[in-house]
């Protein structure tokens, strides 16, 4: 029952991580406009994402434009686009493998050992996906903080951390925890199976005792002792 609960929890966290990965990939709020110096009242907010940039005017109207070329992005956003696309594919693959490895599914048969290895593979992919999500999010955040405190950068070009970065950190944590749960399930199954095979049954013990303690044969009892 405990293993089944861990499977449900791991699958739920993996599904949330998969949805979060896709959401972070498509969200334009990676970089948002900063309120610095006398810019207390700003009528335009600028958002920069992996696929488009948006301008929101006085919380009424928002216009978004897709980037004309990949070269229009900064190097950190270019790498983030590729890594987040790879993470989206990996999270979907791990989620489907986790479904196949559940005990309640019959697509892979009733072999619990095969299902345990499938869950282990899904857990490892979830953990790797979490690390892949963590790399571009932290990289972009580091670039934003570096430019924010750089006096050479113009004030109008400075940006702040957007909502997509905070969601990306949360998503990476959820993916890693979900993958760790699947790995724990595999370890628990291996320990229980090894413990089950290491203890001999009561019937086997009695049978081996009777084999070792054979009664003397008729021939040995009828044969007189030899005289020296």
């Amino acid at each position: 029952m405990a293993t089944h609960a861990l499977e449900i929890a791991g699958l739920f966290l993996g599904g949330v991580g998969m949805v979060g990965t896709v959401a972070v990939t498509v969200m334009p709020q990676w970089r948002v406009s900063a309120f610095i110096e006398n810019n207390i009242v700003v009528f335009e907010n600028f958002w920069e994402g992996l696929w488009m940039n948006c301008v929101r005017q006085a919380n009424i109207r928002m216009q978004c434009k897709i980037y004309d070329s990949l070269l229009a992005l900064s190097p950190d956003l270019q790498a983030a686009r590729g890594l987040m696309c790879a993470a989206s594919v990996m999270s979907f693959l791990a989620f489907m493998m986790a479904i196949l490895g559940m005990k309640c599914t019959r697509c892979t048969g009733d072999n619990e050992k095969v299902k345990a290895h499938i869950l282990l593979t899904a857990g490892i992919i979830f953990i790797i996906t979490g690390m892949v999500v963590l790399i571009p999010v932290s990289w972009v955040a580091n670039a934003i903080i570096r430019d924010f405190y750089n006096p050479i950068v113009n004030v109008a070009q400075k940006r702040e951390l957007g909502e997509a970065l905070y969601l990306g950190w949360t998503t990476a944590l959820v993916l890693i925890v979900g993958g760790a749960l699947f790995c724990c399930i595999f370890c628990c199954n291996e320990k229980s199976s090894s413990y089950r095979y290491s203890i001999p049954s009561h019937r086997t013990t009695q049978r081996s005792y009777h084999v070792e303690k054979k009664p003397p044969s008729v021939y040995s009892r009828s044969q007189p002792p030899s005289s020296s």
Side-chain angles (χ1 to χ4, degrees), residues 33 38 58 77 85 127 161 164 169-170 186 191 196 203 218:
S33 57
N38 297 326
L77 291 181
C85 290
I127 295 176
L161 304 178
W169 282 318
T170 306
F186 178 80
K191 288 182 180 180
R196 183 170 59 250
R203 183 179 300 177
V218 179

Side-chain angles (χ1 to χ4, degrees), residues 184-204:
C184 291
I185 292 172
F186 178 80
C187 295
C188 293
N189 290 333
E190 287 294 319
K191 288 182 180 180
S192 62
S193 62
S194 62
Y195 179 77
R196 183 170 59 250
Y197 287 120
S198 62
I199 299 178
S201 62
H202 182 67
R203 183 179 300 177
T204 305

Side-chain angles (χ1 to χ4, degrees), residues 36 143-155 158:
I36 308 173
I144 293 173
I145 296 173
R146 184 187 63 236
D147 294 339
F148 187 86
Y149 292 104
N150 190 358
I152 303 177
V153 179
N154 189 10
V155 175
K158 293 184 178 182

